[in-house]
Amino acid sequence: MPRSARSLAGPAAILTSLALLAACSPGTAEPAEGEASGAPDLGDLTVQLSWVKNAEFAGEYFAIENGYFADAGFGEVTLTPGPAATETIVASGEALVGLSSPVAAAPVNIEQDAGLRIIGTTYQKNPFTILSLAENAIETPEDLVGKTIGVQTGGNDTLFAALLEVNGIDPADVDIVPVGYDPSELTNGNVDGFFAFLTNEAITVELAGFDTVNLPLADNGLPFMTESFIVTEDSIENEREALKAFLHAEILGWRDAIADPEESARLAVEEYGADLELEMDKEVRQAEEQVDLISTEETDANGLLTISDELVEANIETLAVAGFDITAEELFDLSLLEEVYDEHPELLE
């Protein structure tokens, strides 16, 4: 279970610090971590991931490995793997930040008045897709009619319902069956289409030797961003500096990840996802292909993780078509990211 995003250093840490001071002669004591740079003590950090620890979260791995979170003032950093009820976890304070999407966060705000806000995004374009095999290809939304589609509950079902809605397809005309995240449901012939990620399951099935076809949601009426950082209004008000420090470290981490897909994959396979038996060739492909989702004309102009006004509006309009009536102000707060870039203009160099 995720630990508290905000815990103070315990007695053991205090005693250790005193011991270090005692061991040094006057004037030669080593500064505590972060002290030399003037970083505040922000305590421990918990981030709720949207998925298992594969190359999808390479920016977070680099931010830990290269000391960016530590330099920002954070202590222990816990990356809690998904899938999970990210919105509930963040709203309850179990994690300071969660990775999610507008289509997952908006209903929670509308139905529960959760006060969640998106403060930045990793993927400018979502990689959700309906994956099918070439011999029974699903190439257009209309091809979904009469087909059996495997969709995971807990968020993806909401997205699939939105896909049908924006394309004017009656859900009664599609056989929707609940599945897990193993694409063998598709390759074994149990379903005609499988809700997947272009940068994950679609690659896995292709590398297994199957001729695949994709129906990307982003190109068929759902221009949602995803892997977006969601936080609470309360944390924006009361932990603003911590959130800005988090964003700063994330920008540095993702800059490194984009520059080195192979190391991104290695960190996933050998370190953070070592217990998952990940395949290196697939993780390298994922790390390479997700670069186009992260580094775009928008981020080239305004910086990594930023979201253009046009993309915000497109997301709000699509949410409305899908039945979620919410304003940009009720879902987004991009002021922290603006402050980070104002305070650290070198991040744009």
Side-chain angles (χ1 to χ4, degrees):
M1 294 293 292
R3 290 194 289 274
S4 170
R6 288 285 167 285
S7 61
L8 298 175
I14 296 172
L15 289 174
T16 300
S17 298
L18 290 173
L20 287 172
L21 288 171
C24 299
S25 59
T28 63
E30 296 182 5
E33 190 173 24
E35 184 178 307
S37 62
D41 179 5
L42 298 174
D44 295 340
L45 169 68
T46 296
V47 180
Q48 177 61 55
L49 305 180
S50 60
W51 186 236
V52 299
K53 294 180 181 178
N54 62 8
E56 193 170 323
F57 309 105
E60 284 74 33
Y61 307 154
F62 274 101
I64 293 172
E65 295 295 313
N66 292 344
Y68 302 138
F69 283 131
D71 291 345
F74 292 109
E76 180 182 1
V77 178
T78 299
L79 304 178
T80 307
T86 300
E87 292 73 30
T88 300
I89 290 168
V90 172
S92 68
E94 294 180 74
L96 179 65
V97 183
L99 279 84
S100 185
S101 68
V103 76
V108 180
N109 274 2
I110 294 169
E111 297 165 10
Q112 302 177 26
D113 193 23
L116 299 174
R117 295 292 183 270
I118 292 171
I119 61 171
T121 197
T122 305
Y123 288 178
Q124 298 283 316
K125 180 179 179 180
N126 80 73
F128 294 111
T129 184
I130 305 303
L131 177 66
S132 60
L133 302 182
E135 61 263 28
N136 192 19
I138 298 172
E139 299 178 303
T140 70
E142 291 71 27
D143 292 338
L144 293 165
V145 174
K147 295 294 200 306
T148 299
I149 310 298
V151 183
Q152 304 81 9
T153 58
N156 288 354
D157 49 351
T158 302
L159 277 166
F160 187 69
L163 175 68
L164 298 181
E165 179 69 26
V166 299
N167 286 284
I169 297 172
D170 188 340
D173 292 335
V174 183
D175 184 13
I176 305 168
V177 299
V179 295
Y181 294 90
D182 184 349
S184 64
E185 294 280 359
L186 175 67
T187 58
N188 289 339
N190 296 332
V191 296
D192 302 313
F194 184 83
F195 198 102
F197 249 37
L198 288 166
T199 53
N200 193 355
E201 296 89 353
I203 296 174
T204 298
V205 174
E206 178 191 334
L207 291 175
F210 293 90
D211 190 4
T212 61
V213 174
N214 283 286
L215 179 69
L217 272 62
D219 298 333
N220 289 278
L222 294 183
F224 291 120
M225 64 195 82
T226 193
E227 298 306 358
S228 304
F229 299 119
I230 64 168
V231 303
T232 62
E233 282 185 294
D234 181 75
S235 66
I236 291 175
E237 181 177 350
N238 297 308
E239 300 185 79
R240 191 175 189 86
E241 293 307 313
L243 291 176
K244 287 165 58 178
F246 166 82
L247 289 170
H248 187 194
E250 284 281 338
I251 292 165
L252 295 173
W254 276 109
R255 192 162 62 176
D256 291 351
I258 290 168
D260 197 345
E262 291 196 0
E263 178 63 6
S264 296
R266 189 199 69 77
L267 286 171
V269 173
E270 298 181 4
E271 303 291 340
Y272 292 86
D275 59 333
L276 300 176
E277 299 183 355
L278 301 172
E279 297 181 5
M280 184 65 77
D281 55 349
K282 181 264 175 185
E283 296 304 311
V284 170
R285 276 279 301 277
Q286 176 165 354
E288 291 173 342
E289 293 189 15
Q290 70 184 5
V291 169
D292 289 338
L293 303 175
I294 300 167
S295 181
T296 64
E297 289 184 5
E298 158 64 23
T299 63
D300 287 345
N302 298 310
L304 290 173
L305 312 186
T306 57
I307 307 171
S308 69
D309 292 341
E310 292 76 16
L311 185 54
V312 168
E313 187 58 32
N315 276 255
I316 294 298
E317 290 176 358
T318 308
L319 283 167
V321 172
F324 303 118
D325 187 13
I326 193 169
T327 68
E329 292 73 22
E330 291 170 331
L331 188 59
F332 293 90
D333 187 334
L334 304 179
S335 62
L336 295 93
L337 203 50
E338 293 174 1
E339 290 176 21
V340 169
Y341 278 106
D342 286 343
E343 294 167 11
H344 302 279
E346 72 278 4
L347 293 174
L348 290 172
E349 294 176 358

